[in-house]
Amino acid sequence: MDKLSLPAVLDSLAELRRYARNAAASAGIDEDRSYQLQLAVDEIATNIISYGYKDAGPTAEIAIRAEITDDALVVTLEDEAPAFDPRLRQMPNAEDLARPLEDRRIGGLGIYLATQGVDRFDYRREGRRNLNIFEVRMRHE
Amino acid sequence: MGFSISVEDGQGEATITLTGELDAAAAPQFKEAIEKVAEAKPQRLILLMGELEFMASAGLRVLIFARQKMGAGVSLYVIGSRGPVLNTLKMSGFHHSVYLQDVYTPE
């Protein structure tokens, strides 16, 4: 699918989810896994827009592209914010997730949901770009 | 699809209806509604989520905010949540802290 570039603002999230939903539909991925992919893309994009691009000007962009192979749908988010590997972020463990809400720490939940929602989540820095890669494998019956 | 929210104050309880897609762009509206209803110090906060199609962690953080703002003595009810949104609540361990019900039934 053609790459789509959008302004790096929270109002672009709905458009990014729609792109992921269309890609999942083209790849024949079921509704439930499509939702998980949309959630994963949404969470990582939210981080990029809110933190990565915190000090960026109005020209900052976030791009999304998708490739469908025989085995998998691979969706990639691209941005030019400072290098940030979400996998290095501390995520809640089972003990944190069992904690009552009044004792919760706020951070890490989004990246936890993102990485749980796809078959593979990867990050690469290429030149000035961050690549966040989401893979949903085909389930051939 | 977008997001919409409505608030209803009752006797000792506040009801918030969430509709559509609750992402980081929409979460501030939800947070504002929580701040508003918290002023009346309700004993129960009822969130009607049957028409909520999408919820990101930004929405979960507002639930944590609600709990921390209103105190552990206030009961939180999530009503009508289903499908992947319900799954997200459970994956995040929120079923330990809120009542998840199909139809509102005060505990």
Side-chain angles (χ1 to χ4, degrees):
Chain A
M1 285 170 68
D2 288 344
K3 181 160 133 178
L4 173 70
S5 291
L6 295 164
V9 295
L10 293 175
D11 282 340
S12 293
L13 290 171
E15 195 67 31
L16 291 168
R17 291 196 301 273
R18 186 173 313 136
Y19 185 100
R21 182 163 66 241
N22 289 341
S26 301
I29 285 163
D30 67 56
E31 293 275 321
D32 192 43
R33 300 175 82 218
S34 169
Y35 181 96
Q36 299 303 326
L37 172 68
Q38 291 167 54
L39 180 60
V41 166
D42 178 280
E43 294 290 356
I44 297 297
T46 296
N47 263 304
I48 293 166
I49 293 163
S50 303
Y51 304 109
Y53 277 135
K54 187 159 56 79
D55 302 318
T59 58
E61 285 192 341
I62 185 166
I64 187 167
R65 59 187 159 88
E67 292 153 81
I68 300 171
T69 69
D70 284 347
D71 303 322
L73 166 64
V74 180
V75 173
T76 305
L77 281 177
E78 294 181 12
D79 66 86
E80 295 194 353
F84 176 71
D85 183 347
R87 297 170 305 174
L88 303 179
R89 180 81 164 73
Q90 196 185 357
M91 281 185 262
N93 57 28
E95 195 186 330
D96 294 324
L97 294 172
R99 233 182 267 280
L101 300 190
E102 53 272 29
D103 301 334
R104 289 284 183 115
R105 285 177 301 232
I106 298 294
L109 206 46
I111 291 171
Y112 164 75
L113 292 174
T115 54
Q116 296 292 306
V118 289
D119 293 312
R120 188 174 69 93
F121 173 75
D122 204 359
Y123 167 84
R124 278 206 310 276
R125 180 79 176 173
E126 270 182 12
R128 294 170 54 206
R129 293 182 308 167
N130 295 302
L131 304 183
N132 286 281
I133 301 151
F134 310 81
E135 185 176 313
V136 181
R137 299 207 180 102
M138 303 298 182
R139 289 187 182 157
H140 298 295
E141 298 303 324
Chain B
M1 170 49 114
F3 174 71
S4 69
I5 185 164
S6 67
V7 176
E8 201 182 314
D9 282 312
Q11 199 67 26
E13 58 188 42
T15 306
I16 298 178
T17 306
L18 304 168
T19 306
E21 303 187 7
L22 176 50
D23 61 11
Q29 289 178 61
F30 183 22
K31 191 175 177 194
E32 247 172 61
I34 296 286
E35 283 174 332
K36 201 172 123 210
V37 301
E39 285 171 16
K41 303 201 180 305
Q43 287 310 296
R44 291 178 298 279
L45 174 64
I46 303 148
L47 301 168
L48 303 180
M49 290 178 36
E51 301 297 322
L52 192 64
E53 305 291 341
F54 177 84
M55 182 174 62
S57 64
L60 297 174
R61 278 195 291 279
V62 178
L63 285 179
I64 295 174
F65 169 79
R67 164 62 82 211
Q68 296 181 347
K69 172 102 182 161
M70 300 172 93
V74 175
S75 304
L76 297 187
Y77 293 82
V78 169
I79 309 302
S81 182
R82 58 199 157 76
V85 172
L86 179 61
N87 185 40
T88 299
L89 285 165
K90 288 181 174 170
M91 263 182 75
S92 309
F94 280 45
H95 54 300
H96 299 304
S97 294
V98 307
Y99 296 111
L100 293 175
Q101 299 177 342
D102 289 333
V103 177
Y104 175 52
T105 319
E107 296 277 341

